[in-house]
Each structure stands twice: as structure tokens, then as C-alpha cells.
Amino acid sequence: MAAPAIKRGFVDVPHGQMHYRYAGDSGEPLLILHASPGSSRQQVKLIEDFAAEARVFAPDTPGNGDSDALSDQEPTIPELAAATLAFMDAVGLQKARVYGSHTGAAIAAELAILAPSRVSALVLDGVSLMEGEELEEILATYAFPFEPDLDGAYLARLFQFCRDQYVFFPWYRRTRAGRRDGGLGSAADLHAWIVEVMKASTTYHLNYRAAFKWPADKRMGLIGCPTLVTAAINDPLYDSSVALEKLLGDGAFVELPRLDAAEFRTARKAAMDSFFAGKA
């Protein structure tokens, strides 16, 4: 049986409008929060995986994709979580299971802290903790706006920024030591990702910076709901995810196959199914 079609919409929230993808018409709701940079477009496969059994909602986080930024100033992760709670109110989600990836994981964690009665179970796929010199370097180097120019040079820089995230971590460390071994993926996926980043070329970096600064080691212990932490074995956030899961009061960690492995998608779904079934 084919998965229900993914539809798209906008809702009004206090700071403006948020764009979202949604699918499914029955079952316990699942809220999906994407990584930076990009949009809910990155999570289409996960939306498809759950659409036959759940009402799935995947917003573009503020300042990404087609969602308005909170402002032209850098937000905090708690502020992004408050905007996500406003999104839940706008689409009528009283309570939901919540999945977040990277930046989305930080927002999802803060949402569970902010509104514990609204989050029944939490999946954090890749959690980061950056401190000291690493944080200083990342903030100074990783993400800046791509301001439009008349000769289109910003488009080339934006393309390289997205492409090189497949090949290096951090993307700007184009050395043997910084090389990732997952390959580029498909041209179609790269194109779709670039288009989404292009939509928010002057605001996408704000959420990135908020996530880099998020003190996960001080916040994870405040999460009260059952929480599953996952990470693919070639995710740059694998080590921090393993370490941070230990700070949870009601947590578990599941290792996933390589992000480029044929079985990754199936393994992720199975891990989430098992976790949700155990917390029902």
C-alpha cells in the first residue's frame, strides 16, 4: 500500500508564518524537526515512513525553508522551541511524539523541557556539545549569510557550502583529516537541499549558531519524558550523542548504520517503532 501523499501548508504564529509538510490522517501524532541548514524537505523519507500509521507534521524551523525568521537577530534554542510550541498550537497538536535531527534535536529537547505535558516521547538523532576552542572556531568559520549579488557569486559559494558538507566535517576543513567517506549522494538530493537553503540564504545561519551554543550537557538532564538518542556510525555527532545520552533520566541509545547504507532507513524506523511501542 502506498504511503499517504505529503501535503504542504502555512500557519500563522506570533512571529509570522511557518511552512510545514504533513501526511497521514490517523494515529498518534509525530512532530519532525529537521537539521540545519535546509527545511522539512530533508525529512520527506521519514515522513513517508510514518504517514501510514500516524499524523505527521514537519515544519520548516523559523528562518529556514519557507518559514519566517523570528527576527534578524540570532535566536536561542529555547526561543525556537517556543516558536515550535506555537506551531503545535496553530495546527491543533495537543500532544505528540517528537523527533529532531541535529539542530532539530536541540529544539526538540528544549520543547520537551518547556512543555513536558505536550511531548509524550522524544527521539534525538544526533546531539552536539561544542565548547572552548572548537566552539570559537565553528562560530568564526562555519555558517554566514549568503547575501545576493549581481554576478551570482553567492550561488557558487552556497553550492560549495552544501556540497562540501557531504565530504568534509567541518565543511571548510578540506583535508584528509577532515574527510568524510560517505560520498556525495544523488544530484537530485543535493539540488533539493541547495534550493531550500537558497530560500533562506540570509537567515539560515541564525539557527545554526544557536545550536552550536546550546549547552546540551546542562540541559539534557532536565528532560522528563522517555527519550531515545540515535546516531549513525558515520555521523560527526556520534561520539557526543553517546556521551550526552548518559545524562538523561529516562534515556536509551541506539546505534544506526551508516547514513549512506542501504539499510539505514529501515533501521531508523525499526529503532523508533521499538522505542514508541515500549513507551505506549
Side-chain angles (χ1 to χ4, degrees):
M1 181 181 298
I6 297 175
K7 301 178 181 179
R8 299 170 63 181
F10 286 87
V11 289
D12 294 321
V13 290
H15 78 270
Q17 286 197 319
M18 288 181 66
H19 170 260
Y20 67 105
R21 288 174 166 83
Y22 64 103
D25 55 12
S26 63
E28 185 178 358
L30 174 64
L31 177 66
I32 294 175
L33 303 177
H34 64 86
S36 293
S39 73
S40 56
R41 168 62 179 75
Q42 294 163 258
Q43 296 298 338
V44 162
K45 292 179 181 178
L46 188 60
I47 297 170
E48 290 174 345
D49 287 344
F50 280 92
E53 63 198 61
R55 296 169 56 221
V56 186
F57 296 83
D60 298 352
T61 56
N64 285 276
D66 291 302
S67 288
D68 293 333
L70 294 184
S71 71
D72 60 358
Q73 301 299 308
E74 183 183 313
T76 65
I77 293 296
E79 288 171 338
L80 292 168
T84 305
L85 184 60
F87 170 81
M88 291 180 68
D89 290 339
V91 297
L93 277 181
Q94 184 58 38
K95 194 169 188 175
R97 300 168 295 176
V98 181
Y99 166 96
S101 172
H102 290 210
T103 298
I107 298 171
E110 284 293 342
L111 175 64
I113 296 169
L114 171 66
S117 66
R118 307 288 292 275
V119 178
S120 59
L122 186 64
V123 180
L124 306 178
D125 189 359
V127 190
S128 69
L129 176 63
M130 296 187 180
E131 301 175 296
E133 292 182 359
E134 179 186 24
L135 177 60
E136 291 178 6
E137 178 188 315
I138 286 286
L139 290 173
T141 314
Y142 201 96
F144 292 92
F146 294 101
E147 298 287 352
D149 53 56
L150 290 175
D151 58 6
Y154 82 105
L155 298 174
R157 294 193 301 273
L158 190 155
F159 172 84
Q160 292 164 358
F161 168 72
C162 291
R163 179 199 61 195
D164 289 357
Q165 287 189 56
Y166 281 94
V167 186
F168 302 101
F169 184 80
W171 67 269
Y172 54 81
R173 193 170 294 160
R174 301 180 179 97
T175 63
R176 181 177 296 274
R179 188 173 64 190
R180 303 177 66 184
D181 64 352
L184 276 173
S186 73
D189 281 346
L190 178 58
H191 166 76
W193 190 24
I194 289 166
V195 169
E196 295 303 300
V197 177
M198 194 184 306
K199 291 177 181 178
S201 67
T202 61
T203 58
Y204 82 93
H205 65 295
L206 299 173
N207 293 5
Y208 246 143
R209 294 179 64 83
F212 293 149
K213 294 178 181 179
W214 185 61
D217 57 336
K218 298 178 176 63
R219 304 299 290 171
M220 293 283 281
L222 301 178
I223 298 171
C225 68
T227 303
L228 173 66
V229 179
T230 65
I233 57 175
N234 64 335
D235 187 332
L237 303 187
Y238 179 91
D239 290 343
S240 57
S241 298
V242 171
L244 290 165
E245 181 275 326
K246 295 177 173 62
L247 302 178
L248 294 165
D250 184 1
F253 177 80
V254 172
E255 177 182 284
L256 297 177
R258 296 170 52 90
L259 292 161
D260 57 324
E263 68 271 21
F264 171 80
R265 182 174 175 181
T266 300
R268 178 178 59 181
K269 177 67 161 56
M272 292 175 66
D273 283 342
S274 177
F275 171 64
F276 291 147
K279 302 305 176 183

